[in-house]
Amino acid sequence: MAEEKEEVKTFEELGICEPLAEACDRLGWKNPTKIQVEAIPHALEGKDLIGLAQTGSGKTGTFALPILQALIEASQKHVQAFFACVLSPTRELAIQIGEQFEALGSSIGVKCGVLVGGVDMVQQTIILGKRPHIIVATPGRLVDHLTNTKGFSLRTLKYLVLDEADRLLNEDFEKSLDDILNVIPRDRKTYLFSATMTKKVQKLQRACLRNPVKIEAASKYSTVDTLKQQYRFVPAKHKECYLVYILTEMSGSTSMVFTRTCDATSFLALLLRNLGFRAIPINGHMNQSKRLGALNKFKAGECNILICTDVASRGLDIPSVDMVINYDIPTNSKDYIHRVGRTARAGRSGVAISLPNQYEIEWYLQIEKLIGKKLPEFPAQEEEVLLLLEQVSEAKRIAATKLKESGGSKKRRHGEDEEDDIQKYLGGKDKKSKKSKRRD
């Protein structure tokens, strides 16, 4: 069987119809990925799926193509509104999935509605009134509409997809997910996708899938072979120096720098800007328009360093990321898999460098235990790194002063004013957006 699978060269050979295969070609998807080769034939046969695959392995295409093919077949009989629903843990990932559905279904007139927090409910109600075929949503906002939007229900639903299922089963989403599962048809196809398999995912599998086919296109917790992973143990007081040194050494690279807190993203972005780097922050405290604005600037190449919290670690497809830096080591070692999965996607190479300090070494050792390998050390002469100390210290002082002048992060609401300070400092627009209630 394995030899037969390796012979598959095209989406048509998996059973994908011509219009969708042509759409794949237009998107630059020349050959199916491993998870697509193994899962799509089962999906086309009408089976429920559990897909475990490394992030960046083509999961969105794996569930989108069979759904769109089923939609084409169903639409020959009658129009199918609210045919499928995809649940995502983050707004950005939901928006990206919606874009992929529309790109794949552009030639067949697919309509997709995205329901996420931070966006006006009335605008979304208008979208729902147009009766889209596909709904992509964060759980909380979908429950808002199921509860409050007159005439909207998912009684006609034929497909449910839970993307990044391990994250959807966190306490934040548990009640919303239960509410959704209680009001959608039991007679449906269900796809559950995750880069990691947890006990909660196994529990959900038993609750809402019927005789699913389990496709494991990766070992339990693994990173791709094209990813070069390194670490450097650094004293906490010199961590910024090491960050600046690495970014200088890798100048010209597109990088994502992960921090633990929202305040740290804004502070580091200002610090790096003071030193001439094109850095921009993104975090969960920014409103939706600013989060998308930062992401779009990064994707467009206006800024080549994205300073982010774990809001950006899941599923975002930014093809040109060359390097991931774990400035703060994640307390949950599984988050490491998702973070470093932002680079070395779809067969490309990439670099991931972790910077544990004396307080984080235990968390770092948990990561090595999880991935089953001891990582090599990032080579750097400490004397050379500390040559940067004076200018980094001055950049830190200026960044701290700028944030303090604008009122201090504790007095801000949702971190939006802090982001305005950065936009002012970068010479960006200083337009206050309306502050909307946030609910993912």
Side-chain angles (χ1 to χ4, degrees), residues 79-93:
V79 177
Q80 291 284 342
F82 309 125
F83 186 74
C85 176
V86 183
L87 295 178
S88 152
T90 70
R91 303 168 183 183
E92 287 76 18
L93 180 55

Side-chain angles (χ1 to χ4, degrees), residues 387-400:
L387 291 174
L388 298 165
L389 185 58
E390 187 176 339
Q391 63 187 110
V392 170
S393 297
E394 178 63 9
K396 281 173 66 176
R397 186 190 66 77
I398 295 170

Side-chain angles (χ1 to χ4, degrees), residues 43 45-48 158-161 186-191 210:
E45 289 172 7
K47 305 277 180 61
D48 281 6
K158 298 293 186 289
Y159 286 83
L160 174 69
V161 181
R186 291 184 181 277
D187 185 18
R188 63 170 194 269
K189 306 291 186 294
T190 306
Y191 300 156
R210 294 175 302 180

Side-chain angles (χ1 to χ4, degrees), residues 146-432:
L146 287 168
T147 306
N148 302 312
T149 300
K150 192 173 180 181
F152 171 57
S153 80
L154 292 175
R155 285 193 295 270
T156 60
L157 194 74
K158 298 293 186 289
Y159 286 83
L160 174 69
V161 181
L162 302 173
D163 196 19
E164 304 289 357
D166 54 333
R167 174 92 176 271
L168 281 172
L169 294 166
N170 287 353
E171 288 177 11
D172 299 348
F173 300 111
E174 194 170 2
K175 184 180 184 308
S176 296
L177 203 54
D178 285 343
D179 291 345
I180 292 163
L181 291 172
N182 285 335
V183 298
I184 60 175
R186 291 184 181 277
D187 185 18
R188 63 170 194 269
K189 306 291 186 294
T190 306
Y191 300 156
L192 187 153
F193 283 87
S194 181
T196 52
M197 188 69 166
T198 65
K199 288 178 182 175
K200 286 186 176 180
V201 175
Q202 289 173 326
K203 183 180 175 184
L204 181 68
Q205 164 194 340
R206 292 194 297 273
C208 72
L209 281 79
R210 294 175 302 180
N211 300 319
V213 176
K214 186 175 179 182
I215 311 295
E216 195 160 357
S219 58
K220 191 177 182 187
Y221 301 113
S222 66
T223 51
V224 293
D225 296 334
T226 52
L227 176 66
K228 180 183 179 183
Q229 300 174 82
Q230 297 172 303
Y231 82 99
R232 178 70 188 217
F233 178 68
V234 301
K237 64 182 178 179
H238 293 150
K239 192 177 264 200
E240 293 96 346
C241 271
Y242 276 89
L243 174 64
V244 171
Y245 177 83
I246 291 167
L247 290 172
T248 303
E249 287 290 296
M250 306 287 281
S251 64
S253 297
T254 302
S255 305
M256 294 178 75
V257 179
F258 282 95
T259 69
R260 191 170 301 115
T261 68
C262 297
D263 284 350
T265 64
S266 299
F267 177 72
L268 282 180
L270 276 174
L271 185 156
L272 291 171
R273 282 280 181 171
N274 291 332
L275 294 168
F277 292 96
R278 291 179 295 129
I280 195 164
I282 184 172
N283 62 60
H285 285 174
M286 290 159 60
N287 71 25
Q288 188 58 27
S289 64
K290 286 182 177 173
R291 278 159 68 170
L292 280 178
L295 200 55
N296 288 335
K297 281 184 180 179
F298 183 62
K299 282 184 172 182
E302 291 177 43
C303 300
N304 69 327
I305 301 169
L306 188 68
I307 315 290
C308 45
T309 55
D310 281 309
V311 74
S313 71
R314 296 288 185 131
L316 296 186
D317 187 16
I318 308 167
S320 59
V321 176
D322 305 309
M323 177 168 63
V324 166
I325 298 176
N326 287 300
Y327 180 81
D328 290 326
I329 304 303
T331 54
N332 183 341
S333 49
K334 291 171 196 169
D335 288 335
Y336 174 85
I337 305 290
H338 294 286
R339 287 183 180 187
V340 302
R342 298 309 97 219
T343 186
R345 294 172 75 80
R348 291 179 289 269
S349 60
V351 176
I353 302 171
S354 298
L355 299 176
N357 63 26
Q358 63 268 38
Y359 310 110
E360 301 171 308
I361 200 71
E362 188 61 41
W363 295 331
Y364 174 74
L365 292 173
Q366 287 298 321
I367 289 168
E368 288 194 333
K369 184 178 177 184
L370 182 77
I371 62 177
K373 61 174 93 169
K374 182 160 180 56
L375 300 182
E377 190 172 18
F378 175 81
Q381 294 295 321
E382 187 175 26
E383 302 81 17
E384 198 175 335
V385 173
L386 294 184
L387 291 174
L388 298 165
L389 185 58
E390 187 176 339
Q391 63 187 110
V392 170
S393 297
E394 178 63 9
K396 281 173 66 176
R397 186 190 66 77
I398 295 170
T401 302
K402 289 225 171 262
L403 292 178
K404 189 176 180 182
E405 280 173 359
S406 55
S409 59
K410 289 183 181 178
K411 295 178 183 176
R412 305 164 190 271
R413 183 183 176 188
H414 295 318
E416 292 173 14
D417 295 333
E418 187 170 299
E419 171 61 9
D420 283 332
D421 297 337
I422 289 168
Q423 292 299 342
K424 276 190 218 172
Y425 187 63
L426 307 186
K429 294 177 183 176
D430 181 27
K431 290 183 180 176
K432 293 279 184 182

